[in-house]
């Protein structure tokens, strides 16, 4: 089962979480989010276009990023209704493997973005489309994105519950795209996650439920969570 840890920002915390056997590390590029990862202006254009990490390495004369090694989890950039050029810039500078779209992006936008990125900027880039699920009508929006996204994130509202009854809505999902479940997941949900059954359920997305402060995750809680699931 895949584990995606989203909302990381601090270098030491990123390295510690990446060492736990998680599958994806998520960086939030939504300015309204308190976990927002800022870019630094290289003075080469009209928008901030360098990650802090890449600027530091370039100034030191080092272009190779050690985090691109095979042992590092796949890097996910999280966006919501952002301009395509901003997404492209971050894919390039953060060496992103996956783009996650949390807004009202259209299937046409997704197709155009993929053509821009693959193969010239990031060959084989994958795209996650987030659907915020409260009702069966919300879930049915998957039909718009069939054949466009590579993976769904079905995100449920609230802080979670003892028995996760809301996940039963996913019995109505009849698409062909695999999906993650997210929304307030914490260590107490391990039993419900292991009990959940759907042929296209491949993993979970975690964020606030493992934080000690915004953008800082409890390494020990994630370690226990991953060990319990895998």
């Amino acid at each position: 089962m895949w584990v995606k840890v989203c909302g990381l920002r601090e270098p030491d915390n990123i390295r510690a979480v990446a060492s736990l056997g998680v599958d994806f590390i998520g960086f939030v590029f939504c300015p309204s989010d308190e976990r927002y990862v800022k870019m630094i202006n290289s003075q080469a254009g009209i928008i901030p276009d360098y990650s802090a990490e890449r600027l530091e390495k370039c100034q030191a004369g080092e272009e190779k990023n050690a985090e691109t090694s095979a042992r590092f989890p796949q890097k996910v950039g999280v966006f919501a209704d952002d301009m395509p050029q901003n997404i492209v810039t971050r894919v390039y500078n953060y060496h992103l493997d996956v783009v996650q779209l949390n807004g009202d992006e259209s299937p046409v936008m997704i197709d155009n973005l993929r053509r821009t990125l693959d193969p010239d900027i990031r060959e084989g880039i994958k795209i996650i489309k987030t659907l915020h699920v409260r009702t069966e009508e919300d879930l049915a929006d998957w039909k718009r994105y069939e054949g466009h996204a590579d993976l769904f994130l079905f995100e449920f509202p609230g802080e979670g519950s003892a028995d996760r009854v809301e996940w039963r809505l996913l019995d109505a999902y009849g698409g062909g795209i695999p999906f993650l479940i997210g929304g307030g997941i914490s260590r107490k949900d391990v039993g419900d996650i292991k009990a959940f059954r759907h042929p296209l359920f491949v993993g979970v997305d975690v964020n606030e439920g493992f934080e000690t402060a915004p953008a800082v995750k409890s390494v020990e809680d994630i370690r226990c969570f991953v060990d319990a699931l895998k």
Side-chain angles (χ1 to χ4, degrees):
M1 181 181 297
W2 293 343
V3 176
K4 174 176 171 288
V5 182
C6 196
L8 291 155
R9 186 174 58 211
E10 306 306 319
D12 289 343
N13 197 226
I14 291 169
R15 283 189 285 268
V17 171
S19 72
L20 300 178
V22 303
D23 302 281
F24 303 89
I25 293 286
F27 304 100
V28 176
F29 297 110
C30 306
S32 61
D33 195 297
E34 58 187 342
R35 298 161 192 84
Y36 177 55
V37 178
K38 295 180 180 180
M39 297 286 281
I40 295 173
N41 197 337
S42 70
Q43 307 300 320
I46 61 172
I47 59 173
D49 55 0
Y50 266 45
S51 65
E53 177 189 42
R54 185 165 185 262
L55 182 61
E56 180 180 351
K57 288 182 178 293
C58 287
Q59 290 172 338
E62 302 175 14
E63 281 293 339
K64 184 177 180 180
N65 186 343
E67 291 180 356
T68 59
S69 68
R71 295 178 62 85
F72 198 82
Q74 292 193 63
K75 297 184 191 177
V76 182
V78 181
F79 305 87
D81 299 314
D82 207 340
M83 294 184 294
Q85 58 264 42
N86 286 342
I87 299 175
V88 170
T89 297
R90 284 157 176 79
V91 168
Y92 176 76
N93 283 298
Y94 284 87
H95 305 278
L96 299 179
D97 304 292
V98 184
V99 170
Q100 177 178 320
L101 302 174
N102 281 9
D104 295 322
E105 299 86 3
S106 71
V108 171
M109 181 273 187
I110 292 175
D111 292 344
N112 289 339
L113 179 64
R114 191 191 300 275
R115 281 192 290 267
T116 300
L117 292 170
D118 188 1
D120 293 338
I121 296 171
R122 178 60 172 88
E123 186 173 4
I125 191 84
K126 301 300 182 186
I127 296 177
I128 298 174
K129 183 67 187 81
T130 300
L131 296 181
H132 304 280
V133 180
R134 289 167 175 78
T135 66
E136 285 194 21
E137 289 73 22
D138 296 332
L139 178 64
D141 208 29
W142 68 261
K143 297 174 184 176
R144 296 178 56 209
Y145 298 99
E146 186 81 8
H148 302 278
D150 299 293
L151 191 68
F152 283 132
L153 167 57
F154 294 135
E155 188 164 277
F156 291 85
E159 297 298 323
S161 63
D163 57 2
R164 286 294 184 175
V165 294
E166 70 267 33
W167 293 355
R168 296 174 190 171
L169 288 172
L170 297 177
D171 291 342
Y173 175 60
I177 296 176
F179 64 86
L180 305 170
I181 293 176
I185 290 175
S186 66
R187 284 179 63 179
K188 65 179 172 41
D189 291 304
V190 167
D192 294 312
I193 293 167
K194 295 176 76 170
F196 181 75
R197 294 289 182 270
H198 192 288
L200 292 174
F201 171 52
V202 294
V204 293
D205 174 273
V206 302
N207 193 341
E208 295 95 329
F210 290 85
E211 285 189 336
T212 58
V216 179
K217 301 298 187 286
S218 167
V219 175
E220 184 58 27
D221 281 352
I222 293 176
R223 187 195 313 277
C224 293
F225 181 77
V226 170
D227 288 346
L229 287 182
K230 296 190 174 186

